[in-house]
Amino acid sequence: VQLQASGGGLVQAGGSLRLSCAASGRTFSSHALGWFRQAPGKEREFVAAINWSGGSTDYADSVKGRFIISRDNAKNTVYLQMNSLKPEDTAVYYCAARRTYATTLYGMNRDRAYDYWGQGTQVTVSS
């Protein structure tokens, strides 16, 4: 699976952005997907994950209630809708995939759980 993230940009605090991650291949629907982010000088951190069917989602506490992860298996794409953005959301955002039909997302908040990574898209939130 090859992943291509897009949709990043510069936005003012309180604004919104929607990130997309398009995947190649015919096995997209058999993969759990996640979004991670890395700010300058910080470690990469978990943002959100969604299981293969879209029936289960998980979020970091820092984005819960503001971000929404979703997927469209017909379009081989996962989305991250980011609302009420804060300057601390500024980071490079990465999408990742792991082939699994698990219903739960146990352990999927760890980057080592994923097999495939996209190239990242920059999100900058100005105050």
Side-chain angles (χ1 to χ4, degrees), residues 42 52 65-67 70-71 87:
K42 295 187 177 181
W52 69 274
R66 299 189 297 123
F67 291 11
S70 62
R71 65 188 295 162

Side-chain angles (χ1 to χ4, degrees), residues 33-119:
L33 300 162
W35 286 97
F36 288 76
R37 66 187 182 186
Q38 187 167 22
K42 295 187 177 181
E43 293 185 354
R44 186 163 58 189
E45 65 175 3
F46 170 74
V47 176
I50 189 167
N51 76 333
W52 69 274
S53 68
S56 296
T57 57
D58 189 26
Y59 298 91
D61 288 343
S62 59
V63 307
K64 202 169 291 185
R66 299 189 297 123
F67 291 11
I68 301 172
I69 188 171
S70 62
R71 65 188 295 162
D72 186 337
N73 286 345
K75 295 182 178 179
N76 281 12
T77 302
V78 60
Y79 304 98
L80 185 68
Q81 177 67 43
M82 304 186 296
N83 302 318
S84 302
L85 283 161
K86 305 175 181 179
E88 51 263 43
D89 294 319
T90 295
V92 177
Y93 283 70
Y94 299 90
C95 56
R98 175 181 177 174
R99 186 166 188 173
T100 175
Y101 279 116
T103 301
T104 67
L105 291 166
Y106 178 77
M108 298 303 287
N109 59 346
R110 301 177 181 178
D111 55 7
R112 63 176 179 266
Y114 295 85
D115 302 313
Y116 307 97
W117 290 85
Q119 86 291 357

